Amino acid sequence: MSFTLAIVGRPNVGKSTLFNRLVGKRLALVDDQPGVTRDLREGDARLGPLRFIAIDTAGLEDARDDSLQGRMRRLTERAVEMADICLFVVDARAGITPTDQVFAEILRRKNAHVILAANKAEGRAGEAGALEAYALGLGEPLRISAEHGEGLDDLYRVLEPLAEGFAARNKLQVPDTDVDVSGDEGEDEGPRKPTREKPLQLAVIGRPNAGKSTLINKIIGEDRLLTGPEAGITRDAISVSADFMGTPMRIFDTAGMRKRAKVTDKLEKLSVADGLRAVRFAEVVVVLLDVDIPFEQQDLRIADFAETEGRAVVVAANKWDLEEDKAEKLKELREAFERLLPQLKGAPLVTVSAKTGKGLDRLHAAILKAYDVWNRRVTTAKLNQWLGAMTEAHPPPAPGGRRIRLRYMTQVKTRPPAFVVMCTHADQLPESYGRYLTNGLRESFDMPGTPIRLTFRDQGAKNPYKDKKKSIPSRLRKHVEKGETGRKG
């Protein structure tokens, strides 16, 4: 990546559409109603040979108070100051408004490189507005159509000479999951250590108003994400880079996930889908609960989804500073966790306060522990020794009088740990026996809470004479070789 490009402008001028066009994916939510984008969203953009970071911003509105619109404006102005180049988008069909003129003056003061783009300029309907854009004093406007991809070659010609003066940026890497285990020389030395080039990927998910954005702001030490008392402020899955107590991380803030029956708004459906995609980009998922109403049905579904996707899970109870009887509440939380989420038995459960920052050290330690277990590697020799002891203590059933034999076991993948057991009559092995082995793996090899994939494959008893030809007596062999098949007279 060579530079950062912030896309700014009034609401509903096509900023998110242009952002999606540049990154080549539908990362930002797009809808006809104005004000869809609220947070800052970063993406790896491509325009010809240029590679850069594009930032989609909230629509600039003339609000300076502490309202939602005022906080959105301050967030956008911060993005303008941080970006190397600012792309100011106006609506060519609507023409230049007084608000555009005000923001053009603000951009001129806050950023040295401002490019003016008149969007929706396809056809004759946008000609008048494109000509009006000259009055903003930002140079010749680029006539583009984000919807149809027109005018991007002109944008490339303007960006190309500016790109050489900016520092390189690292591209966000998709985490490695379901990694094949090669060889069996011994246990790995440990999980990959996160670096700035390839940080640990962390997603924070939960119900609306659980405090996800507030928690991330406290982790990174600045008001990077939009927060407030209103539920459902975050709509996109926003990613930010942070150095969390010495560990480089890429943290995804997601939209609050409500029960499916309550999600009727088209925009909210898109937001929830965006949050689910963030889980797939993560290595560790923090399920954030509201300590006043923990482990509701939606919390359980969210945690189960993270486990189903094979991600390491940490459960964090937020707003702990408001709890009076902490000892009794913690006991209740642990009991409910073990009872309602048996598939995550042993996963870290920590208490935090996103508002005060207390408990962040415990959260950091829990994340690293979950990440370590998620990368756990067990040698084949230890697995088969363990398997023999488990089957001796509790033999498999014998459906129809035929005993199921577990012959061999090995680990085939990590991130999360995945094991294969070769056995007879695999289709008749009950699920309860699989759970028995899975729980045994957790206890014997110190793998609490992490998803474990256990597969049974059929390996019937082999007949050593199956592929061999029938033996021929030596006294008849010479006749067979001559082609004589009958007895001699």
Side-chain angles (χ1 to χ4, degrees), residues 203-220 225-234 251-257 286-293 299 316-322 352-358 360 363:
V204 182
I205 61 177
R207 289 183 289 110
N209 216 27
K212 299 181 292 296
S213 299
T214 305
L215 175 65
I216 296 175
N217 281 342
K218 185 63 68 173
I219 289 175
I220 64 180
L225 300 172
L226 190 62
T227 61
E230 304 91 345
I233 290 179
T234 301
I251 307 176
F252 293 86
D253 183 23
T254 62
M257 302 180 190
V286 174
V287 181
L288 196 64
L289 311 176
D290 188 332
V291 73
D292 291 332
I293 44 174
D299 292 323
N318 190 26
K319 306 180 183 179
W320 192 243
D321 56 308
L322 303 178
V352 298
S353 172
K355 185 177 180 180
T356 64
K358 289 186 177 180
L360 291 187
L363 179 62

Side-chain angles (χ1 to χ4, degrees), residues 138-149:
L138 295 174
E140 181 180 358
L142 303 177
R143 300 188 183 190
I144 66 172
S145 172
E147 182 70 26
H148 301 97

Side-chain angles (χ1 to χ4, degrees), residues 29 175 183 186 371 470 488:
L29 304 183
Y371 180 72
K470 188 176 181 180
K488 285 191 174 182

Side-chain angles (χ1 to χ4, degrees), residues 47-62:
L47 190 57
L50 294 181
R51 304 292 184 273
F52 55 95
I53 301 292
I55 304 176
D56 187 23
T57 66
L60 285 164
E61 298 191 48
D62 194 7

Side-chain angles (χ1 to χ4, degrees), residues 31 49 55 65 110 125 136 156 174 183 205 230 277 288 324 338 348 370 386 396 400 428-429 437 450 455 471 478:
D31 196 80
I55 304 176
D65 52 11
K110 289 183 176 290
L136 295 176
Y156 166 73
V174 176
I205 61 177
E230 304 91 345
R277 280 198 301 272
L288 196 64
E324 296 181 358
E338 294 180 3
W386 169 85
Q428 299 180 35
L429 196 67
L437 293 180
T450 196
T455 305
S471 61
K478 63 180 180 179

Side-chain angles (χ1 to χ4, degrees), residues 211-484:
K212 299 181 292 296
S213 299
T214 305
L215 175 65
I216 296 175
N217 281 342
K218 185 63 68 173
I219 289 175
I220 64 180
E222 61 175 295
D223 293 334
R224 170 67 172 75
L225 300 172
L226 190 62
T227 61
E230 304 91 345
I233 290 179
T234 301
R235 285 177 170 172
D236 288 299
I238 306 302
S239 65
V240 295
S241 297
D243 193 51
F244 187 13
M245 294 187 176
T247 304
M249 293 188 186
R250 185 85 172 181
I251 307 176
F252 293 86
D253 183 23
T254 62
M257 302 180 190
R258 297 194 298 164
K259 294 180 181 179
R260 183 177 299 179
K262 293 185 177 181
V263 180
T264 57
D265 182 62
K266 170 186 175 184
L267 193 57
E268 187 173 356
K269 290 180 180 180
L270 293 173
S271 299
V272 171
D274 203 40
L276 298 182
R277 280 198 301 272
V279 173
R280 299 186 180 100
F281 278 92
E283 295 171 319
V284 181
V285 174
V286 174
V287 181
L288 196 64
L289 311 176
D290 188 332
V291 73
D292 291 332
I293 44 174
F295 296 113
E296 287 200 338
Q297 186 178 18
Q298 187 64 358
D299 292 323
L300 303 180
R301 288 177 177 173
I302 292 171
D304 184 66
F305 175 77
E307 191 275 339
T308 302
E309 287 296 316
R311 301 304 185 257
V313 178
V314 174
V315 179
N318 190 26
K319 306 180 183 179
W320 192 243
D321 56 308
L322 303 178
E323 186 61 38
E324 296 181 358
D325 191 353
K326 291 182 170 54
E328 182 64 25
K329 189 65 176 182
L330 184 59
K331 182 179 178 181
E332 293 177 6
L333 288 174
R334 295 190 184 280
E335 185 277 329
F337 185 25
E338 294 180 3
R339 175 170 48 87
L340 299 174
L341 289 171
Q343 68 272 37
L344 292 173
K345 183 179 180 181
L349 172 64
V350 297
T351 56
V352 298
S353 172
K355 185 177 180 180
T356 64
K358 289 186 177 180
L360 291 187
D361 53 342
R362 294 192 296 269
L363 179 62
H364 177 261
I367 291 171
L368 293 186
K369 179 182 178 182
Y371 180 72
D372 177 71
V373 174
W374 192 59
N375 286 272
R376 190 62 50 86
R377 169 83 170 95
V378 185
T379 62
T380 300
K382 289 183 178 180
L383 282 174
N384 284 283
Q385 185 180 5
W386 169 85
L387 182 63
M390 292 292 286
T391 54
E392 184 177 349
H394 185 187
R402 295 181 301 178
R403 175 71 64 185
I404 297 177
R405 300 184 183 279
L406 307 184
R407 300 182 181 278
Y408 179 81
M409 183 178 185
T410 186
Q411 183 172 359
V412 293
K413 293 179 183 293
T414 61
R415 305 165 66 90
F419 304 88
V420 170
V421 178
M422 306 304 294
C423 62
T424 60
H425 313 297
D427 56 331
Q428 299 180 35
L429 196 67
E431 293 183 4
S432 58
Y433 200 80
R435 289 194 297 270
Y436 162 70
L437 293 180
T438 299
N439 291 333
L441 284 170
R442 294 189 194 280
E443 296 175 3
S444 301
F445 298 107
D446 192 23
M447 293 190 288
T450 196
I452 292 179
R453 303 291 185 252
L454 186 60
T455 305
F456 297 94
R457 291 182 184 171
D458 228 323
Q459 186 186 46
K462 292 185 178 180
N463 183 352
Y465 303 103
K466 181 179 179 181
D467 298 325
K468 291 187 177 182
K469 294 181 179 180
K470 188 176 181 180
S471 61
I472 302 173
S474 58
R475 63 186 180 84
L476 297 177
R477 187 175 293 120
K478 63 180 180 179
H479 300 292
V480 174
E481 291 173 353
K482 291 180 180 180
E484 299 173 359

Side-chain angles (χ1 to χ4, degrees), residues 109-128:
R109 294 196 307 265
K110 289 183 176 290
N111 197 294
H113 302 283
V114 179
I115 300 173
L116 178 62
N119 190 30
K120 308 179 187 179
E122 70 276 12
R124 294 184 177 180
E127 289 183 1

Side-chain angles (χ1 to χ4, degrees), residues 65-131:
D65 52 11
D66 288 331
S67 64
L68 180 59
Q69 289 75 19
R71 298 196 300 274
M72 289 163 58
R73 170 176 172 149
R74 288 195 293 273
L75 202 60
T76 298
E77 289 182 351
R78 188 178 301 115
V80 171
E81 295 173 350
M82 292 167 49
D84 298 314
I85 303 173
C86 185
L87 182 62
F88 183 31
V89 181
V90 298
D91 189 339
R93 294 177 181 263
I96 302 303
T97 66
T99 306
D100 288 325
Q101 295 175 348
V102 172
F103 293 138
E105 184 62 31
I106 294 175
L107 296 177
R108 196 179 291 110
R109 294 196 307 265
K110 289 183 176 290
N111 197 294
H113 302 283
V114 179
I115 300 173
L116 178 62
N119 190 30
K120 308 179 187 179
E122 70 276 12
R124 294 184 177 180
E127 289 183 1
L131 292 173

